Structure formats: structure tokens, C-alpha cells
Amino acid sequence: MSNREPYVRRKGKLERTAGGLVSALDPIMRKNGGVWIAAGEKEPGAGSHSMTMIPPDSPSYSQKSIWLSPWEEDNYYNGYSNRFLWPLCHMTLDRVYLRRSYWNAYKRVNNLFAWAVLEEAGDTDVVWLQDYHLSLCAGYIKEVRQKATVLHFWHIPWPPYDIFRICPQRREILEGLLSNDLLGFQLDTFCKNFMTCVERELDAGIDYKEGYVHYRGHTTKVKAFPISADFSWFTDKASTKRAKDAWARFRNRLNLPPEGLVGIGVDRLEYTKGLIKRLETLDLFFSKYPRYRGRFTFVQVAVPTRRVEPYLSYKTMVENMVAAINAKHEEDGWEPIRYIDHKLNHEELAAIYRGADLAIISSVYDGMNLVAKEYVASQVDEKGVLLLSELAGAADGIPGAVLINPYDTEGFADVIKDALQMPASEKRKSMEASRSYIKENDIFKWVADVLGEVEKIR
């Protein structure tokens, strides 16, 4: 179960949704069969849901799409999920906003998802819930299917108790999540934060060492499973002549200097990604190191995915900063920042990741950040440098990455300069270590680790 569908209809044809989760789980579902339940865009004449056999080229499992009303979508998704839980868990408290209608819709939609499962699942089935949109589902499911195995992977951070206590519905959310048999987080830190919240709020038995929570006669295993990228796919796509040609066309289209250095940032247009801090740093970098004007261009891909406030205002702020920095530093037609505000497909990204001399991930707080791992997987020439925020979950597991503090503006600017001047042999050694790690710990190992733990529990 996930908020987003694995396959969507575009121009009358079903196409697979981009993203690591679908890339990892689609092959597992193809092999084993089953049902993928998600919220979908209602089609004319549809009832409360639709059932479609997927994938279209070789139908082997079902996609059950639940149709939400505009009120449910606005209050459950834009409201409670993204105006309350998202900023709360990312500790951006000035952006937290809550209304009663948000919580009412969130409970209602979680109940709709749960009943969609109960219509399909038997007592011996495995139900896998994805992310913060569905924190109450396990409780609703277990009321009817006590013997079903239910697991939940929470993709974003789990905050410390002093932050989580802001949530008025904290007991309901904790109890919902403790209805799962297995609860997964990205990092051990998030597991400990969660168990501390449980300890402070509920009368539960907690084994921090082994990762067990005992509550009201039920035991939940809590464990870290750092998610990863599809290493082989990105490596294969980046290794082709087609990728080299795509990189050459990309440079020409943006009119980048033929021998110039190129940096890349690929982010959803989202305030936790640290785009403002990144732009402030680039402004200082070109002021402090003017010799790089005309020699280094930073390409920022920023894709709007939530077209409501506060994201609309954030988009305007980012675009205004880009324009101001370009006006300040441009020379002879060259601009320091080239800004792309539309989505690129994964094949294009693999080509760009391969060609870029450095990638910047400057998240101010992030559960993991798969762009960091996708960049490494695409670096088949091992000539690039990954600058990675120490506040992103990925910083705990990529040897060879250069860690940055996005709040240390001058230190961050100096790291960019050092990365551009790094000897080729040092780049190769660092990237080789990064690639070896991601290859061994790819998205399929993540799935295997999670499902392996499920088998132990069963």
C-alpha cells in the first residue's frame, strides 16, 4: 500500500511511475503476484475504486486504485500529511500548520485504505504499508485480521520526543504504528527516537537493544533498513553511447562552456532540500573565487511536486534568488546557475549524473536522499565528487562522499572549491569506494532485508 500508484495512465496508456520504491517492488510483485493498493486519479464513471491488471506488457498482479474526493485529497494529503506531519518530522516547526479537518480526513482515508486491504487480504497474507500517509492503517487492519502480518516502512525522519510531543494526535499515531508486526526506519537514530516517544507516551515494554516494543499484548519489531537506489539500472543506462550523446546535447542546449566544469543538483522543489542555503553558498562562492566565473556552471533541476502553499511561495523565492545571483555574476553571456523547473526522465538523469563534475545534496534534514546514491551509481567514469549534507540520512552510509554542513555557508563554499581542484586520482579513489558500497547495498538488498525480517517474524 502506498499513496502513489505504481502505474498511471498517460495518453490512454499505462506507464510505470518513476522512483526507487516502484523500481524495487515491481519485480517482486511480478514474480509473486498480489495487489498494490494506492490513491489514484478518478476516471469518469468510476465507482469508489478500480482494479487493473499490471504491468501492461505482462499482467501478473493487480493495482487497486482508491478514488478520493477533492476534500479528502486536500485535507488528508495536502493537509495532515504535508502541512503537518512532513514539517513536524523534518523539524521545520515554523511551517507546521494543523486544522481539525486535516485529522478527520486523515483518519477517514486511512480507514478507506484499510478496508481496501481487508477486501483482498486473508489471515496468512503479508501487508506492506509505505510512509507517513498511512500511519493508522495497521490498527484498522488488525482489528479484523489479527493474524495477518503487517509491516510499515517510514521513509522520512522520525523526530526526537521534544519535537514529536507537539503533535496533538501523538498517542493515536503511536498506537497505530505499534499495531504493525515490523516497523522500519531509515536509520538507527530514527528507531531510537520512535521508541523514546513510545516510552514517554505509552505504558509499553521496550527493549532498545533488540528493537522490540511490547504494547497491549502485541509485539512490534523496530529496525533500520536504509533504502537505496537501483545501482545496476543507473550504471547500465549511464554506460551507453546514448548517454554520452544525451550529455553532449544537454550541454549544447544550456550553452555551457565546452571545457567548463559542471555541478548538478536534482531536487523536488521542497524546503527540506536546502535550496536557499545552496544558492546562498553559490553566491558567496562566485564572490570569493571569481576565477571560476565562466569556468564553472551549476545546473539546478528543481521539480515542483506540491502545487499548494507553502511550496508556491518557496518556488517564487528560489526563482528570485537564481535571477539575482545570475544578474550579479554573469559575464559575456555566461550565467553561473542554469535553472530547470521541469522533470527529467531517469535516462536523462543517468546521463547528466555521469557527466557532472560534482553533485550537491545540501538537505537541511532528510530521511535518506536517493539522488546521492543515483549520482554515485551513474558515475561510471569515476571522475565526479559527491558533496553530501551531513544532515541527510545518506551521509551515514556512503564512503568517499565529501560531507558538508549546509548552514556553514563559507565552509560549504570552500568545499566546492576544494572539490573542483581535487586531483583526478583522489576523485577516482573516493568514487570507487562509494560505488562499491552502493553496488553491494542496492535497492534489491533493501527489499530482501525487509522481507527477510518478515520471514523471521512469521
Side-chain angles (χ1 to χ4, degrees):
M1 292 167 65
S2 62
N3 180 69
R4 186 173 299 174
E5 295 171 296
Y7 285 80
V8 295
R9 193 170 297 280
R10 295 192 180 99
K11 297 179 180 179
K13 293 183 179 180
L14 280 173
E15 296 181 6
R16 196 173 82 171
T17 306
L21 182 69
V22 176
S23 297
L25 294 182
D26 183 58
I28 303 294
M29 296 293 285
R30 288 184 187 224
K31 181 179 179 181
N32 295 302
V35 183
W36 190 315
I37 300 173
E41 185 175 341
K42 189 169 185 178
E43 298 172 355
S48 61
H49 67 272
S50 72
M51 190 76 84
T52 307
M53 287 300 295
I54 53 174
D57 59 330
S58 178
S60 50
Y61 68 99
S62 302
Q63 175 173 301
K64 186 172 186 175
S65 299
I66 304 170
W67 310 130
L68 304 182
S69 71
W71 179 86
E72 290 166 338
E73 175 74 14
D74 190 46
N75 286 275
Y76 140 80
Y77 181 75
N78 293 326
Y80 200 81
S81 295
N82 290 323
R83 292 201 73 183
F84 182 69
L85 280 181
W86 177 271
L88 179 75
C89 290
H90 287 87
M91 301 196 293
T92 52
L93 301 186
D94 58 323
R95 297 183 182 274
V96 168
Y97 183 76
L98 180 61
R99 298 184 62 180
R100 285 198 194 104
S101 61
Y102 293 177
W103 176 242
N104 291 335
Y106 188 82
K107 288 191 294 183
R108 176 174 169 77
V109 172
N110 272 248
N111 214 324
L112 289 175
F113 267 92
W115 278 106
V117 168
L118 293 169
E119 290 172 350
E120 308 298 333
D123 285 341
T124 60
D125 286 333
V126 175
V127 181
W128 190 353
L129 312 175
Q130 302 291 339
D131 225 354
Y132 60 102
H133 314 89
L134 303 173
S135 67
L136 306 178
C137 275
Y140 297 146
I141 293 167
K142 286 286 193 173
E143 286 178 6
V144 180
R145 296 274 188 275
Q146 293 183 4
K147 294 183 179 180
T149 303
V150 185
L151 60 146
H152 192 132
F153 188 78
W154 190 272
H155 290 257
I156 65 175
W158 188 276
Y161 177 70
D162 284 345
I163 301 296
F164 184 67
R165 66 187 297 192
I166 292 169
C167 177
Q169 299 85 20
R170 54 191 179 275
R171 288 182 64 91
E172 293 96 320
I173 288 175
L174 291 174
E175 288 178 344
L177 291 171
L178 289 178
S179 298
N180 288 283
D181 301 292
L182 174 64
L183 180 58
F185 293 97
Q186 301 279 17
L187 304 176
D188 286 330
T189 299
F190 303 154
C191 294
K192 291 172 184 173
N193 285 349
F194 174 80
M195 289 190 285
T196 300
C197 291
V198 171
E199 185 176 40
R200 297 291 293 272
E201 287 292 334
L202 305 176
D203 183 18
I206 299 174
D207 183 339
Y208 281 96
K209 184 178 179 181
E210 298 298 327
Y212 288 106
V213 179
H214 309 282
Y215 183 65
R216 292 183 175 175
H218 182 263
T219 298
T220 302
K221 172 72 173 180
V222 181
K223 188 172 181 178
F225 301 95
I227 198 169
S228 192
D230 188 343
F231 180 89
S232 295
W233 189 92
F234 277 95
T235 293
D236 291 346
K237 294 298 181 184
S239 299
T240 63
K241 181 179 182 301
R242 184 174 176 178
K244 293 187 74 171
D245 293 342
W247 172 241
R249 289 194 302 272
F250 181 78
R251 291 189 69 121
N252 289 335
R253 188 166 73 247
L254 296 185
N255 197 27
L256 302 179
E259 302 300 322
L261 299 165
V262 179
I264 184 72
V266 178
D267 306 88
R268 285 189 300 108
L269 195 52
E270 212 286 319
Y271 51 80
T272 64
K273 304 304 179 184
L275 298 186
I276 299 299
K277 295 298 179 189
R278 187 181 309 174
L279 292 171
E280 290 173 346
T281 298
L282 288 166
D283 184 18
L284 178 60
F285 171 81
F286 286 109
S287 296
K288 191 174 180 181
Y289 303 108
R291 66 182 179 275
Y292 281 102
R293 294 178 186 173
R295 293 178 52 205
F296 171 62
T297 307
F298 189 78
V299 179
Q300 177 63 59
V301 181
V303 183
T305 56
R306 298 171 186 165
R307 300 180 187 274
V308 294
E309 291 294 349
Y311 303 100
L312 295 175
S313 298
Y314 188 75
K315 179 177 185 289
T316 300
M317 186 184 304
V318 168
E319 291 172 348
N320 288 342
M321 282 192 72
V322 170
I325 293 169
N326 282 341
K328 180 178 178 180
H329 298 290
E330 65 180 349
E331 291 183 356
D332 301 324
W334 167 84
E335 292 181 328
I337 302 172
R338 301 309 304 269
Y339 185 75
I340 298 173
D341 65 354
H342 59 268
K343 190 174 183 178
L344 303 178
N345 66 48
H346 277 70
E347 286 196 40
E348 291 176 290
L349 287 175
I352 295 166
Y353 290 148
R354 175 184 177 177
D357 297 284
L358 64 83
I360 296 179
I361 284 85
S362 57
S363 309
V364 293
Y365 203 41
D366 218 337
M368 181 52 61
N369 195 295
L370 288 180
V371 170
K373 298 185 176 185
E374 291 169 0
Y375 175 73
V376 168
S378 304
Q379 272 285 309
V380 294
D381 303 312
E382 298 179 343
K383 71 178 186 66
V385 182
L386 172 62
L387 305 189
L388 177 58
S389 170
E390 59 191 23
L391 305 176
D396 280 15
I398 305 183
V402 178
L403 299 186
I404 57 171
N405 180 346
Y407 291 97
D408 179 8
T409 308
E410 188 154 10
F412 186 176
D414 291 343
V415 170
I416 294 175
K417 183 263 296 180
D418 293 341
L420 295 175
Q421 294 180 348
M422 188 181 292
S425 59
E426 188 176 339
K427 291 180 184 179
R428 191 176 306 110
K429 182 179 178 181
S430 296
M431 189 54 69
E432 189 177 273
S434 299
R435 284 177 56 78
S436 177
Y437 176 82
I438 303 300
K439 182 178 181 180
E440 185 176 341
N441 296 277
D442 66 357
I443 187 70
F444 299 103
K445 182 178 185 298
W446 176 76
V447 172
D449 287 347
V450 174
L451 296 182
E453 194 67 35
V454 168
E455 286 305 304
K456 292 179 186 176
I457 289 170
R458 284 161 67 85

